[in-house]
Amino acid sequence: MRRIAICDDEPAQAELLRGFVNDWARDRREPSEIRLFPSGDAFWFCWEQDRAWDALLLDIQMSGTDGLDLCRQLRAAGSRLPVVFVTGLAGHMAEGFELDAVHYLVKPASRDKIYLCLDKAIQREGREPFILLECADGQAARVLLSEIALIESSGHRTLVTLAGGDTLEARAGFKELCGKLPQGDFVQCHRCYLAGLRHIYRLGRDSLILDGGKAVPVSRNRFLEVNAAFVNFYRQEG
């Protein structure tokens, strides 16, 4: 059971984040307890009694103990709890990363960004995120997200190519399956192809080459988006 805390003094924002986390827990098949805290003081009081939390989505600007001070208290107490700052303040990014934050998101945070951050929080624990892929032959496969190199729409079939070269046929349609994957790790380069950014070896204006040598078309009107995603991914990885 994952335990995820959301600390934000704006009820509407907290409920929005709760919805995103619920969606993530369902799509990743991660049974989760999600609790809302209206202030840094409220979370700190709870944490002192019960430190078994997997991630904290944390606003900065709150009355009493603000988000940065709460994170400093946690780090001073020796906690390595994965913290994702979700704030309307863009000017504290350097401080956030100095406190070993998983990510620093400026509101409004998107569903895809929350998925990406929660996936990274799990990776910090040494457990990689995965999807349970329902295959066309009636079987199911546990597939690590980091192993997915390409998703392809081929006629009425949806094909999933893994890093080692194996190909699985998914029961879900192309659009449905792509919607379950974090945008920060994948990019749609063509109406029929979604590529795993960590598996792109080279990017050209009309095609990209995967690590295994497979060439995948890049639509002319998608090149700038694909290029930006490719560059941003490796900046974050670095």
Side-chain angles (χ1 to χ4, degrees):
M1 170 74 73
R2 295 287 173 188
R3 302 184 71 217
I4 300 171
I6 298 170
C7 187
D8 196 307
D9 61 356
E10 298 179 39
Q13 176 68 19
E15 288 297 337
L16 177 67
L17 292 175
R18 193 209 308 252
F20 290 157
V21 177
N22 269 320
D23 291 344
W24 173 87
R26 181 197 64 233
D27 290 346
R28 298 292 185 265
R29 296 181 183 268
E30 290 277 4
S32 299
E33 174 193 350
I34 304 162
R35 287 186 59 184
L36 305 185
F37 295 88
S39 68
D41 295 317
F43 179 78
W44 177 257
F45 178 80
C46 177
W47 183 83
E48 286 191 302
Q49 312 303 316
D50 178 7
R51 303 189 177 192
W53 294 91
D54 294 293
L56 170 62
L57 305 185
L58 180 60
D59 190 16
I60 288 181
Q61 195 170 24
M62 296 182 289
S63 59
T65 300
D66 67 27
L68 289 171
D69 285 340
L70 173 60
C71 195
R72 290 189 188 100
Q73 289 177 213
L74 291 169
R75 299 300 184 240
S79 173
R80 306 320 304 165
L81 173 64
V83 172
V84 179
F85 285 108
V86 186
T87 176
L89 302 175
H92 296 280
M93 188 174 298
E95 293 171 86
F97 285 117
E98 285 173 4
L99 291 167
D100 195 28
V102 172
H103 217 303
Y104 188 104
L105 301 179
V106 178
K107 296 177 183 177
S110 69
R111 173 181 176 274
D112 289 332
K113 286 291 188 181
I114 295 298
Y115 271 43
L116 174 64
C117 292
L118 291 174
D119 286 344
K120 285 189 173 183
I122 289 180
Q123 285 176 317
R124 281 199 176 186
E125 296 182 324
R127 179 179 173 187
E128 287 198 67
F130 66 92
I131 60 171
L132 192 64
L133 187 68
E134 296 182 39
C135 300
D137 61 6
Q139 300 186 46
R142 182 180 181 273
V143 178
L144 297 177
L145 296 183
S146 62
E147 289 295 303
I148 299 175
L150 186 70
I151 298 179
E152 174 184 355
S153 175
S154 178
H156 296 293
R157 302 190 303 161
T158 303
L159 304 178
V160 180
T161 301
L162 304 181
D166 292 337
T167 299
L168 303 172
E169 183 178 349
R171 177 175 293 177
F174 177 77
K175 186 175 181 180
E176 178 186 351
L177 183 56
C178 292
K180 294 180 179 180
L181 302 178
Q183 187 178 9
D185 287 350
F186 298 87
V187 66
Q188 188 165 353
C189 56
H190 183 278
R191 64 184 178 85
C192 296
Y193 295 93
L194 183 88
L197 287 162
R198 74 179 66 249
H199 300 292
I200 298 176
Y201 172 68
R202 188 170 68 244
L203 174 63
R205 296 201 69 88
D206 58 3
S207 67
L208 58 83
I209 307 297
L210 298 177
D211 288 334
K214 181 180 177 66
V216 179
V218 175
S219 299
R220 181 179 303 176
N221 63 346
R222 292 183 183 270
F223 171 75
L224 293 178
E225 175 188 349
V226 175
N227 186 62
F230 184 58
V231 171
N232 288 337
F233 177 81
Y234 282 103
R235 279 179 179 166
Q236 290 182 13
E237 288 292 295

